[in-house]
Amino acid sequence: MDVSNSCNEQQAPEIVFFDLETTVPKRGGERFWVLEFGAIVVTPHKLTEIESYTTLIRPKDLSVVSVKSSRSDGITRKAVENAPSFEDVADRIFSILNGRVWAGHNIQRFDCVRIKEAFNDINRSAPVPVGIIDSLGVLTEKFGRRAGNMKMATLASYFGLGQQKHRSLDDVRMNLEVLKHCATVLFLESSLPNTLHSKWYGSSSVMTRSRSDGKSPCKEETSRKSPPTSYGYQRTVPYARGSLGKVTERVKGLLCKAQGQPPLQHLLKHSHSLLR
């Protein structure tokens, strides 16, 4: 056993990929209500899943939940009528999120805001991350629009990973697989940039945040979980922080302290790291 690597694994913060399923407001002024929480905890250097948790959540007012769902496996009023309230599962959710690196797709604009709202509703302090990795922003900048829009369903389809189920635990595991596939492609392209990179997509097709006008006001996601169609956006998060680049740079520093990095960490490092 490599004692040095083991110690570094213990020192680096674990990463929790999480996702929320919520109600969809039918008119302006209505809020989102959390209906499901799902998360997996992975080790930072090997991405080994060490813990998972998911639960349906019953909102205070069941009438905000649709009787029928437009999706075959969607969440209905009947599905949550006997589920625990958020207050009942708040301790478990707090313990799995607090003090870890948070990761997910569009979480800065949507899920982080909903988590804080839910804890505010029960007059409790919300969990605090040590860093945030939003795969929407990272992949928009690093992977580009070669897969089409940046929705998780589109990215999963691009890599043949199946159909997104829009259930929290399934979606976070799909999120991690998408990141692995993107990292592999970027690694291969970095090996032969003049051969592979140009065949994947033209640089003119990529619109990153650095190329946008940067004038969009910070706004919370108020109408949907899916990412906005414009890539020149900024995100509202409920925690004091710097830019996404600064946050992920600090996270990268934490995750790369190990002297002997396993293969996947080496891959990420040499593929214009997803944590850069």
Side-chain angles (χ1 to χ4, degrees):
M1 178 179 179
D2 190 327
V3 177
S4 176
N5 283 347
S6 176
C7 290
N8 283 325
E9 278 278 0
Q10 294 174 5
Q11 292 172 1
E14 295 163 336
I15 304 172
V16 53
F17 283 80
F18 76 99
D19 178 72
L20 303 176
E21 294 299 323
T22 70
T23 59
V24 178
K26 297 179 181 178
R27 59 183 65 90
E30 291 186 351
R31 61 168 285 180
F32 294 88
W33 293 94
V34 178
L35 300 179
E36 187 177 46
F37 172 89
I40 60 171
V41 180
V42 299
T43 57
H45 299 134
K46 298 180 181 179
L47 302 182
T48 303
E49 184 177 323
I50 58 175
E51 184 180 358
S52 67
Y53 175 69
T54 187
T55 181
L56 289 168
I57 296 171
R58 184 186 72 252
K60 292 181 180 180
D61 181 4
L62 276 174
S63 69
V64 301
V65 187
S66 300
V67 175
K68 295 182 179 180
S69 174
S70 59
R71 302 188 184 104
S72 60
D73 54 355
I75 300 173
T76 62
R77 187 179 302 174
K78 183 175 178 60
V80 299
E81 63 183 3
N82 294 318
S85 67
F86 186 83
E87 188 169 13
D88 293 332
V89 296
D91 285 341
R92 184 73 176 91
I93 291 175
F94 186 94
S95 68
I96 204 168
L97 291 178
N98 194 53
R100 285 174 166 144
V101 175
W102 293 4
H105 204 66
N106 200 28
I107 59 170
Q108 289 189 291
R109 192 177 177 91
F110 189 86
D111 303 77
C112 292
V113 180
R114 305 286 85 82
I115 284 292
K116 187 174 184 182
E117 286 176 348
F119 276 92
N120 284 343
D121 287 342
I122 60 173
N123 297 312
R124 287 189 50 174
S125 297
V128 178
V130 297
I132 298 174
I133 303 171
D134 192 322
S135 57
L136 172 60
V138 172
L139 295 182
T140 298
E141 181 175 349
K142 301 297 183 183
F143 195 71
R145 297 183 61 184
R146 67 185 84 185
N149 62 40
M150 300 308 293
K151 293 181 179 181
M152 183 54 58
T154 306
L155 291 164
S157 176
Y158 179 78
F159 287 113
L161 297 176
Q163 187 174 4
Q164 184 183 9
K165 295 183 178 180
H166 294 282
R167 297 301 299 266
S168 296
L169 196 58
D170 292 315
D171 285 1
V172 293
R173 287 181 173 139
M174 176 172 279
N175 194 172
L176 179 56
E177 289 305 309
V178 165
L179 283 171
K180 289 178 180 178
H181 279 68
C182 289
T184 302
V185 171
L186 292 171
F187 172 70
L188 294 173
E189 290 178 350
S190 69
S191 301
L192 291 172
N194 295 327
T195 302
L196 295 178
H197 188 71
S198 60
K199 290 184 178 181
W200 278 107
Y201 69 105
S203 59
S204 61
S205 69
V206 181
M207 175 61 74
T208 67
R209 287 164 296 158
S210 62
R211 289 173 57 187
S212 67
D213 58 18
K215 296 178 181 179
S216 300
C218 291
K219 291 183 179 180
E220 165 191 327
E221 185 73 43
T222 57
S223 62
R224 61 192 170 209
K225 165 68 176 175
S226 301
T229 55
S230 171
Y231 292 98
Y233 63 89
Q234 298 181 16
R235 309 173 185 82
T236 295
V237 294
Y239 307 100
R241 61 176 181 85
S243 66
L244 173 63
K246 291 180 180 178
V247 172
T248 52
E249 188 65 29
R250 289 198 298 270
V251 175
K252 179 188 173 186
L254 289 171
L255 302 185
C256 293
K257 286 182 178 179
Q259 293 180 351
Q261 297 177 343
L264 184 55
Q265 188 72 2
H266 183 72
L267 180 152
L268 293 174
K269 176 182 177 183
H270 292 284
S271 64
H272 307 298
S273 173
L274 289 178
L275 302 182
R276 181 175 296 171

